[in-house]
Amino acid sequence: MKKIAVLLSGCGVFDGSEIHEAVLTLLSLSRSGAAYQCFAPDIPQMHVVNHLKGEVVETEQRNVLVEAARIARGDIKATSELNVADFDGLIIPGGFGAAKNLCNFAVNGSNSEIAAPVREFISRFISADKVVGFICIAPVMIPSLYGEGARGTIGTDAETAAAFVAMGGEHQNAKVDEIVVDSERKIVSTPAYMLAGSIAEANSGIEKLVAKVLELA
C-alpha cells in the first residue's frame, strides 16, 4: 500500500487550507487504496479571518498545526516529525493558508519566501526523488523549491502566472479538470478552486492529480 503525506496550512479557505480541497484529497487517496498522514507546520497563522464576514480578526492569534488538526480529526503531526522514508509522495492542498502560512506569496508575490520548516519538509521529498502534488495556489512554491524551468499551473490567472514565471518557473495554463505534470522533477499540479465554480469541479482535477501522484509514487 502506498502512503502519501498531506501538508495542511490551517483550516479555512481565507486563512488556512481550503477545506474542500483537503477533504477531497483525503477521500481520493482513501478510495484509491492509499494510506495517508496529515502534517502541518507548528507555527502561528499569518492572521485569523472571520469566514462569515470575510474580515481579519485583529485580536485573535491561532496556530497552523492546531487549526489543521480540525481537518485531520486530530490525527496530524508537526512537519518536524517527518520520516520521509515512510512515504511515497506528498500532496499540498491550496487555500490562502498555502500563500500566507506555508509561504508569504499573498503579501510578497514573486519576492515571496517559503517558511523555513515548510521548505525543509518539502525539500526532504524532493531530495529523496519523491513525487509532490500541488493544488490551487500551492504551486506558487514550485519555482522556489525546484529552481529554473520547473513546470506547473495555477490555472489561467494572468497575474499569478506572471509571478510564477518571474520566480523562474515555467507556467502552463490549465482548465479546472486538467493536471500539469513535470515528469522530470515528479511534480503534479491542478487549479482546483483557482477556477472551480463548485465542489464537483474542484474534485475533477484533484482526482486526476491524486491518481497521477500515486502512479509516479
Side-chain angles (χ1 to χ4, degrees):
M1 179 187 291
K2 290 177 180 175
K3 188 171 185 180
I4 304 297
V6 178
L7 179 60
L8 301 177
S9 57
C11 181
V13 58
F14 300 126
D15 59 12
S17 285
E18 209 300 317
I19 296 172
H20 293 175
E21 291 177 359
V23 173
L24 289 170
T25 297
L26 302 181
L27 176 61
S28 189
L29 285 166
S30 184
R31 279 181 168 169
S32 300
Y36 62 80
Q37 173 64 56
C38 293
F39 288 88
D42 188 4
I43 57 175
Q45 284 187 190
M46 177 180 151
H47 56 217
V48 177
V49 174
N50 177 327
H51 279 62
L52 184 61
K53 297 182 177 180
E55 299 169 353
V56 175
V57 184
E58 301 288 357
T59 56
E60 227 178 298
Q61 178 65 68
R62 299 189 185 184
N63 176 280
V64 175
L65 176 61
V66 172
E67 291 302 295
R70 295 174 180 271
I71 296 175
R73 295 172 57 87
D75 182 10
I76 195 165
K77 295 182 177 181
T79 51
S80 58
E81 296 181 76
L82 173 69
N83 180 2
V84 75
D86 292 341
F87 297 93
D88 299 294
L90 166 66
I91 296 177
I92 309 170
F96 276 99
K100 292 178 177 180
N101 304 327
L102 302 187
C103 69
N104 56 15
F105 182 85
V107 176
N108 293 335
S110 59
N111 294 315
S112 63
E113 296 179 345
I114 298 172
V118 175
R119 175 177 283 280
E120 181 182 355
F121 179 85
I122 302 173
S123 293
R124 292 174 72 182
F125 286 89
I126 298 171
S127 297
D129 195 32
K130 297 190 177 186
V131 59
V132 183
F134 297 83
I135 297 170
C136 189
I137 194 66
V140 296
M141 294 186 285
I142 289 173
S144 178
L145 289 163
Y146 291 88
E148 201 76 25
R151 190 163 69 256
T153 189
I154 49 77
T156 57
D157 182 74
E159 188 177 346
T160 310
F164 189 98
V165 172
M167 291 187 284
E170 181 185 317
H171 185 266
Q172 184 176 324
N173 280 358
K175 297 175 183 176
V176 68
D177 62 344
E178 294 178 329
I179 60 173
V180 169
V181 182
D182 185 328
S183 299
E184 180 186 344
R185 298 173 179 85
K186 294 186 179 178
I187 307 168
V188 188
S189 52
T190 193
Y193 273 107
M194 289 295 285
L195 291 175
S198 68
I199 191 169
E201 283 190 358
N203 189 55
S204 65
I206 289 171
E207 278 195 335
K208 290 178 183 176
L209 177 136
V210 168
K212 192 64 179 180
V213 164
L214 291 175
E215 178 189 322
L216 295 175

